[in-house]
Structures are given as C-alpha cells and as structure tokens.
Amino acid sequence: MSSLMQKIKEVLPQLSEAEERIGKYVLGNPEAVPHMTTKELSQKSGVSEATIIRFCKSIGIGSFKSFKLALMKDLTLTDTNLTDFSVLDKKDSPYDLFHKVIHVNKSAIESCADSMDRKELAKAVEAIQHAKKIVFFGVGGSSTAAVDAQYKFTKLGYHSITSLDFHYMLSVIPHLTENDVFVAISTSGKTKDVLELTRFAQKKGATAIAITTLSKSPLYKEADIRLCTPNVEQDFRIGSIPSRMTQLTVIDTLYMSIFHHVGEKVLQQYYDARSEMESLRR
Amino acid sequence: MSSLMQKIKEVLPQLSEAEERIGKYVLGNPEAVPHMTTKELSQKSGVSEATIIRFCKSIGIGSFKSFKLALMKDLTLTDTNLTDFSVLDKKDSPYDLFHKVIHVNKSAIESCADSMDRKELAKAVEAIQHAKKIVFFGVGGSSTAAVDAQYKFTKLGYHSITSLDFHYMLSVIPHLTENDVFVAISTSGKTKDVLELTRFAQKKGATAIAITTLSKSPLYKEADIRLCTPNVEQDFRIGSIPSRMTQLTVIDTLYMSIFHHVGEKVLQQYYDARSEMESLRR
DNA sequence: TAAATAATGAATTTAAATTTCATTATTATA
DNA sequence: TATAATAATGAAATTTAAATTCATTATTTA
C-alpha cells in the first residue's frame, strides 16, 4: 500500500461522516478519481463539492488538483493489480468507463507475462516457421484474434487461412499435412467447434497450437503446443474484452517472432507493398 | 530522451511559427510547464492562449490538461525509455519479443488517455444509443477493430454491419438514414476507401464517427464525431500492432458505455443466450 | 434547555481551459 | 499580377472547473 492511500486509510476514522464517504470512495476506486472533477466525485460519493475540497485539506493536501496528482503518482508507483472490474458503477459516465477499460486492458496484458511458458513459445515459433499453411480458428470473442492473425501472417507471405464458418473450415482441414499448423483459439478450451476441428487437424497430421487458459480443459490437454493466456476476470459486463487482449498479445508475439526471423527477406517485399499501397491507397 | 519530448522535437520543424515557439519553450523548460496555466505558458512563450491549445492538438494530445499530465509522466519515468521499439535486437528470442510486445501494447493503451476528448466520446455514445443501424468499416490492420466491433454490437442487439469488401459496403450504405451511424476506423485518416464510404454515408444522412489519430487528415476534418487514438510509434517492424490495441480500446469503451446504458434490458437476453450457448456449445 | 460548535451543501465567486470569430498573412490559381 | 482560397493567429466570449462564502442543520457542552 502506498503512502497517500495509506494516509487516507489512517485518518478515515477521524473524518466526519461526509468526508469519510469520500475517503471510502477514493479507496475503492483509486484509478478512477484522478480523472474526475469535484462535481463528479461529489456525485459519485454523495456529498457536496465543498466537502470534497474540505476532504483534501483534511488529509493535508492544499487543493483538489494536487490531490489528484498525488493520487496518480501513488498509483503509478505501486502498479495496482486490480484486475477486477467489479468497480463498475451505475453512475459511471462514458469517460469513466473509458479509464476503466484502459485499466482492465492494461492489467490483462500485463498478466500475460505470468502464464506464458517460454519453451512452449519457442516450440510454437519453430513450428510456424516451417509451416506451409497456417490455419487459425476461434469462435465468438476469439474470432477477432483469428481474423487478426490471418491478416498478419498473410502479410508475412504465409498461406494463412481463417473463417468463422465451421463448415468452411471442414473443407479446409482435409488438405492439411504434417507441414502445417492449426492454431486453435479458445479462452475456455471447451468450445466444441474448436475442439472438433483441432482433433480433425491433428488427425491429418498438422501441429495443433492452442491459445487458451491454463486449465484442465480438453483443448489444453490435447494440443501439441500450449500458449497460455492468463485467467482474467470474466465478468459478464466486460465479456471477452480482457481475454481478447491477451490473445492478441500472443498473436503479436508470434508475428513479431516470425517477422524477426524471416526479417530481411520479407522486408524488401514489405517496403514494396508499402510504396505500392501509398500510390494505390484506396 | 523520453518519448513526448522526443515527439515534440521531431514535429518541431513542421509546426507553425507560433507553435514552434511553444515547443521550444517546453523543450527548454520541461519541468516548469506541468505547473503552468495556459495563460502563464502563453505569456512565457509569447503566443496566445488559443495557440497553446492548438499546439497540444498538433502533437496529438487532446487537451492542455492531458498534455501537462503526459509531460509530467515523461519527466518522472526516466528509466523506462523502452517506449520505442528500436531496441529490437537480432538476438532476441521469442520470449524476449513477448515481453517487448507486452510493453508496447501496454504503453499504447496507456497513452489512449491523452488523446481522447470526453465530449466527443459522450456524443458518440449518444449517437450510437439512438442508432437503428451501425456500420463499421476499416481496412488493413484496422479491419480487426471493425470485425470486433461488429460482433460486440450484435451481441447488444444492434443491427450491426461490417465487411472487408468495399463493394459490399457500397450496397449497404444507400440504405442508411439520419438514424444510423457509420464508424470509420483508420489510423492515418487518409485511406481512400474509408474516406469515400464515410462521405457517402454522410450524404445519406448518417452520423460519421471517426476512430483515427488526432491530425490534419481528411477523415479527422470531415467526421461528425472524432474519437482520437494516440499517435503511437509506427515502426515498420511492429506495424499496426499498437494502433490496433488503441482502436480496440476505443471500441471496448463504446461497447461498455452502451452496455451500461441498455443494461438490465439486454442482461436477461444475455443470460438466456449464455445458457443456451452452454447447451448448444459446438 | 440554551448557547456554542461543528458539519454540510447551495449558491456564488474566481480562475482556468476552450471555442469562436474577425483579422492578417500566405499560398495557390486564373 | 490580381484574386480567390487557405492557413495562422490572437482578442474576446464562452464554458467548465475549483474554491469560497454563507445560511442551515445537527451535535455537543455547560
């Protein structure tokens, strides 16, 4: 716990009722407060604006602005890992939500570092490097990552395929061989479509890479290579927001790694494409 | 040299005379500026207050307040000068790259806070709330955000459309009316396809929301509502990685805001869909 | 119970940020 | 070269945020 927050906690019992309410709100939503005005904070915590000012003085800070600055500094120093989004509030304005989204997404990406296994990652890069074809598949919220990956790897010169359509995929997979890679994306690791296609691809000899959470799910168990995303809060309100960020971070890593490797070879083509794009830019 | 100061240095030659004067003052007195008002800074640097505001926008930051905050952060974070990706190294292992990707993505999301204008955001949410149809369009790296948005807003019960195909979009837009919203996604704000479709949609009376960087681009100028993403480093090696993260963060915010609003109404349907999904889960 | 004190928010004032608008300078075009 | 179009600029007005004042209510003390 950092110094300002600590300080607030300490003096909380000595504060008046209204000021205590502010203190509690601040402690509960520290990352939201630095972007608020006195008016907003007064409404959120159910006191008057005047009391906000008094609160600042009570905890020994001269102005509301200084208070916000101090709080912000506090938060950056102790990168709070409040991954949960339970702090959503009826009164939240779009701007408040914006800052909460920033916070959640940042936390999600940060926590990617915890779940990734470097050996598995190395294996995945190795497999993709030598792949003739790469097929990505994800449904629902995970389809975003699949679409993104397909685009990125096409840019790198790969024969890269994805589709939201299960039956389309059924027609793609029979043509896979040992040289190919099937990347299955599913947060839960239980999605039936994804599982069935993964098994099918494996039967054709393709290497199955799973981008999924570390769990006892069938996808986790059966995949050849596991790239784990962290178990981020799955609140219904935020839906798949944070998990999609983690999936994309994994995709980005694969992309960067391959780019890094094929490097110079692709680079010239890349520049060509860029200048061509400039002139053609539709 | 930290990133914001670096950025100012870079754009300095492109700025107008008055704005250049501000830039020089800031570079010369970085530690003084965060505590100044627009009036003070205008006097110190010998320009008008209005020009101060324009200067902030010129360097891609949405308000003077955000500028001061960004500058302050810049000055305190002397050690983390990894913001640029030039630190890519031939010897980097996939795992090294993974951590760099995490860093870049995190920074990109963080800097979203600088460029967003709360009023524009409120306007966007308002427009979408009352929309009958929402059309998303982005090409290249920006298509990911469009696809993601389309999925999210469909889940919220909207008639939500996107396609990668310009000609398909040409057949969609004629049916738009004043009640509809067209969301154009383009980092540069110059993509021809996006511009043409945006103008077409506006001609049909739809409200055009642009998710783009704060710049003098045609898309920025012509859009009815501007949701600005920060000017993240556009290194060819990382391509559109960070800008896609910022676009998604904006999409997430819109989604959360609308969700928050329609809230209870959709919630029941949402739960129904979930349990249905459990049983149907393919 | 009455006086003193403390707590509070509504209303006001002050100050800061932002926008608008008219003016001037610059550039492109006939 | 003259003229229109565009961009740059600051003065003034507007909007927004912060801070103060003051009247009201609750609480404590004698």
Side-chain angles (χ1 to χ4, degrees):
Chain A
M1 177 60 67
S2 49
S3 64
L4 180 58
M5 300 269 283
Q6 191 60 51
K7 168 96 194 188
I8 295 174
K9 225 176 225 172
E10 275 167 23
V11 297
L12 211 55
Q14 293 143 43
L15 295 177
S16 71
E17 200 187 330
E19 291 185 15
E20 191 186 354
R21 223 161 336 140
I22 301 168
K24 279 182 180 162
Y25 183 88
V26 173
L27 290 174
N29 308 267
E31 76 293 338
V33 177
H35 310 288
M36 291 184 178
T37 65
T38 51
K39 202 180 192 178
E40 281 180 295
L41 181 53
S42 78
Q43 287 165 348
K44 295 270 165 61
S45 54
V47 302
S48 72
E49 291 183 60
T51 307
I52 303 286
I53 306 294
R54 284 187 207 111
F55 169 81
C56 295
K57 315 242 164 170
S58 292
I59 59 170
I61 291 179
S63 76
F64 183 62
K65 243 194 255 178
S66 303
F67 170 69
K68 286 196 290 188
L69 283 175
L71 190 56
M72 192 175 300
K73 216 177 283 175
D74 233 41
L75 287 168
T76 49
L77 287 178
T78 66
D79 44 299
T80 51
N81 46 350
L82 300 160
T83 314
D84 86 302
F85 219 76
S86 51
V87 289
L88 281 182
D89 188 330
K90 260 269 171 274
K91 290 169 233 147
D92 280 342
S93 72
Y95 197 66
D96 294 330
L97 289 170
F98 173 61
H99 284 288
K100 289 183 180 180
V101 164
I102 287 180
H103 186 260
V104 165
N105 282 344
K106 242 179 55 186
S107 308
I109 289 174
E110 235 161 44
S111 63
C112 280
D114 304 334
S115 51
M116 180 62 74
D117 183 301
R118 80 189 294 160
K119 274 188 230 153
E120 292 287 298
L121 176 59
K123 284 203 293 188
V125 171
E126 175 75 13
I128 292 175
Q129 248 170 53
H130 301 112
K132 288 270 186 303
K133 270 185 255 178
I134 319 177
V135 179
F136 297 93
F137 188 65
V139 300
S142 301
S143 64
T144 301
V147 169
D148 191 72
Q150 195 269 329
Y151 172 73
K152 282 202 168 60
F153 281 90
T154 297
K155 276 212 310 187
L156 287 181
Y158 278 88
H159 183 185
S160 160
I161 305 166
T162 193
S163 169
L164 290 162
D165 184 351
F166 182 76
H167 295 91
Y168 178 86
M169 294 304 278
L170 276 183
S171 73
V172 166
I173 298 183
H175 305 293
L176 295 184
T177 71
E178 301 75 38
N179 298 313
D180 300 323
V181 170
F182 182 88
V183 181
I185 310 175
S186 163
T187 304
S188 71
K190 294 174 193 160
T191 325
K192 222 173 170 187
D193 272 13
V194 176
L195 272 173
E196 285 172 5
L197 293 181
T198 305
R199 286 170 187 153
F200 189 15
Q202 283 178 313
K203 210 151 80 185
K204 302 305 294 182
T207 303
I209 301 179
I211 299 180
T212 185
T213 51
L214 181 53
S215 69
K216 283 171 190 148
S217 71
L219 182 60
Y220 181 84
K221 270 187 224 154
E222 297 175 24
D224 299 309
I225 301 172
R226 292 167 262 266
L227 300 178
C228 292
T229 52
N231 272 294
V232 285
E233 183 75 26
Q234 281 294 1
D235 185 299
F236 64 86
R237 287 165 297 192
I238 46 171
S240 53
I241 289 178
S243 70
R244 184 207 47 195
M245 285 289 171
T246 62
Q247 289 165 354
L248 288 170
T249 297
V250 174
I251 296 293
D252 289 345
T253 302
L254 293 178
Y255 168 80
M256 286 298 298
S257 299
I258 300 295
F259 190 119
H260 200 247
H261 219 267
V262 289
E264 302 311 315
K265 204 171 43 176
V266 171
L267 214 55
Q268 195 49 53
Q269 294 158 26
Y270 192 89
Y271 276 126
D272 292 351
R274 252 175 109 86
S275 53
E276 190 74 5
M277 249 194 298
E278 295 287 322
S279 63
L280 276 182
R281 180 116 72 165
R282 299 218 27 132
Chain B
M1 175 61 69
S2 47
S3 67
L4 179 59
M5 300 267 285
Q6 190 60 50
K7 166 96 195 184
I8 295 174
K9 226 176 225 173
E10 276 165 24
V11 298
L12 211 56
Q14 293 143 43
L15 295 177
S16 70
E17 199 188 330
E19 290 184 14
E20 191 185 354
R21 216 150 355 127
I22 300 167
K24 278 182 180 160
Y25 183 88
V26 172
L27 289 174
N29 309 267
E31 72 296 335
V33 177
H35 310 290
M36 291 184 178
T37 65
T38 50
K39 201 180 195 175
E40 282 179 295
L41 181 53
S42 78
Q43 288 164 349
K44 296 265 166 64
S45 54
V47 301
S48 73
E49 290 182 60
T51 306
I52 303 285
I53 305 291
R54 284 187 208 109
F55 169 80
C56 295
K57 313 241 166 177
S58 293
I59 59 171
I61 290 180
S63 74
F64 182 62
K65 243 194 257 178
S66 300
F67 170 70
K68 286 194 291 187
L69 284 175
L71 190 57
M72 191 176 301
K73 219 181 280 174
D74 232 44
L75 289 168
T76 51
L77 295 177
T78 42
D79 51 320
T80 53
N81 50 349
L82 296 159
T83 312
D84 77 314
F85 223 73
S86 53
V87 288
L88 278 184
D89 188 332
K90 261 278 174 262
K91 288 168 243 141
D92 279 342
S93 72
Y95 197 66
D96 294 331
L97 287 170
F98 173 61
H99 284 287
K100 290 185 180 178
V101 164
I102 288 181
H103 185 262
V104 165
N105 282 343
K106 242 180 56 186
S107 309
I109 290 174
E110 233 163 48
S111 62
C112 281
D114 300 336
S115 50
M116 178 62 72
D117 183 303
R118 74 192 298 161
K119 273 189 242 155
E120 293 287 298
L121 177 59
K123 283 203 291 189
V125 171
E126 174 77 11
I128 292 175
Q129 247 169 54
H130 301 114
K132 289 268 188 304
K133 270 186 255 178
I134 319 177
V135 180
F136 298 94
F137 189 65
V139 300
S142 300
S143 64
T144 302
V147 169
D148 191 71
Q150 194 268 330
Y151 172 72
K152 281 204 169 58
F153 281 90
T154 298
K155 278 213 308 187
L156 287 180
Y158 278 88
H159 183 184
S160 161
I161 305 166
T162 193
S163 169
L164 290 163
D165 182 353
F166 182 76
H167 294 90
Y168 177 86
M169 294 304 278
L170 277 182
S171 72
V172 166
I173 297 183
H175 305 292
L176 295 184
T177 72
E178 301 75 38
N179 299 312
D180 300 322
V181 170
F182 182 88
V183 182
I185 311 176
S186 163
T187 304
S188 71
K190 293 173 193 161
T191 326
K192 223 174 171 186
D193 272 11
V194 175
L195 271 172
E196 285 172 5
L197 292 181
T198 305
R199 286 169 186 151
F200 189 15
Q202 282 178 315
K203 209 151 79 183
K204 301 305 294 182
T207 303
I209 301 178
I211 299 181
T212 185
T213 51
L214 183 48
S215 69
K216 283 172 187 147
S217 72
L219 181 60
Y220 180 85
K221 272 188 219 150
E222 297 175 25
D224 300 308
I225 301 173
R226 294 167 258 264
L227 300 178
C228 293
T229 52
N231 274 296
V232 285
E233 181 75 27
Q234 282 295 3
D235 186 299
F236 64 88
R237 286 163 297 192
I238 48 170
S240 54
I241 288 177
S243 71
R244 184 207 48 194
M245 284 290 172
T246 62
Q247 290 166 351
L248 287 172
T249 297
V250 174
I251 297 293
D252 289 345
T253 302
L254 294 177
Y255 167 79
M256 287 297 297
S257 299
I258 300 294
F259 190 119
H260 200 248
H261 220 266
V262 289
E264 302 309 314
K265 207 171 40 176
V266 170
L267 215 53
Q268 195 50 51
Q269 295 159 24
Y270 192 87
Y271 276 126
D272 292 351
R274 252 175 110 87
S275 52
E276 191 76 5
M277 246 193 300
E278 294 285 324
S279 60
L280 277 183
R281 178 116 70 166
R282 299 219 28 132

